[in-house]
Amino acid sequence: MNKERLAQLAETLLEIPERIAEKQGIVLDYNEQIQSISNEITQIESVIKTEINAQVDDNGKKLYTNAESREAAFIEAATSNDDLMSKKNSLSSVQGYLSIERIKIETLSNEQRNIRAILYFFGGSEDAIERIMSQR
């Protein structure tokens, strides 16, 4: 491996922490979005459950008297609630984006370790990066 390529690797190694930090910022944003959407979902579901629990028949008796019937009514109402379904789809999308960013961070971390190992192998010491960069 020539000195120019080693210098390029050293430069890349020095850039990786900033790239990781950028990705970590994105992860934080996605986590905030996930929390916000989850709160909205919980709120909508609470309203649906409250409405179900408040339903009475013509005689004033509760329409759904057991947990199973309330759960069935909730599932039916929840799946027909466009706002709730939209929020759940958004949550799923953001969770997917979060997973992708985490994979990117892991990839950068692996690249960082690999470059360190290469530079150490060819440089022979912990000071290899500085020595390679100064030879440029």
Side-chain angles (χ1 to χ4, degrees):
M1 187 167 284
N2 64 32
K3 288 181 184 181
E4 185 176 319
R5 179 64 181 135
L6 289 174
Q8 289 172 343
L9 287 173
E11 284 181 30
T12 300
L13 181 63
L14 296 173
E15 293 168 359
I16 288 176
E18 184 177 327
R19 292 168 52 198
I20 289 174
E22 288 172 12
K23 297 295 179 191
Q24 288 172 330
I26 293 169
V27 165
L28 288 175
D29 289 343
Y30 283 145
N31 279 326
E32 288 174 9
Q33 289 178 37
I34 287 170
Q35 186 60 49
S36 176
I37 295 168
S38 294
N39 291 342
E40 292 172 6
I41 288 170
T42 299
Q43 184 178 8
I44 293 168
E45 289 177 341
S46 293
V47 168
I48 292 170
K49 287 177 182 179
T50 301
E51 289 172 353
I52 289 170
N53 287 332
Q55 290 182 3
V56 293
D57 64 14
D58 293 337
N59 297 327
K61 290 186 173 188
K62 288 205 176 261
L63 195 57
Y64 303 102
T65 57
N66 61 46
E68 292 84 16
S69 63
R70 285 189 298 274
E71 182 64 22
F74 172 75
I75 291 170
E76 183 178 333
T79 56
S80 64
N81 185 305
D82 292 337
D83 191 29
L84 179 59
M85 291 297 102
S86 174
K87 299 288 183 197
K88 286 187 174 190
N89 286 336
S90 293
L91 179 63
S92 180
S93 292
V94 174
Q95 287 171 329
Y97 298 143
L98 175 64
S99 295
I100 290 168
E101 291 304 319
R102 285 183 173 157
I103 290 168
K104 289 177 181 178
I105 289 171
E106 182 65 27
T107 301
L108 285 169
S109 295
N110 289 338
E111 182 180 358
Q112 187 178 40
R113 277 189 298 278
N114 292 341
I115 292 173
R116 275 192 190 129
I118 290 168
L119 292 176
Y120 185 77
F121 177 78
F122 284 102
S125 72
E126 293 291 328
D127 299 328
I129 297 172
E130 289 82 16
R131 197 170 52 251
I132 290 167
M133 293 300 288
S134 67
Q135 292 175 357
R136 205 161 191 220

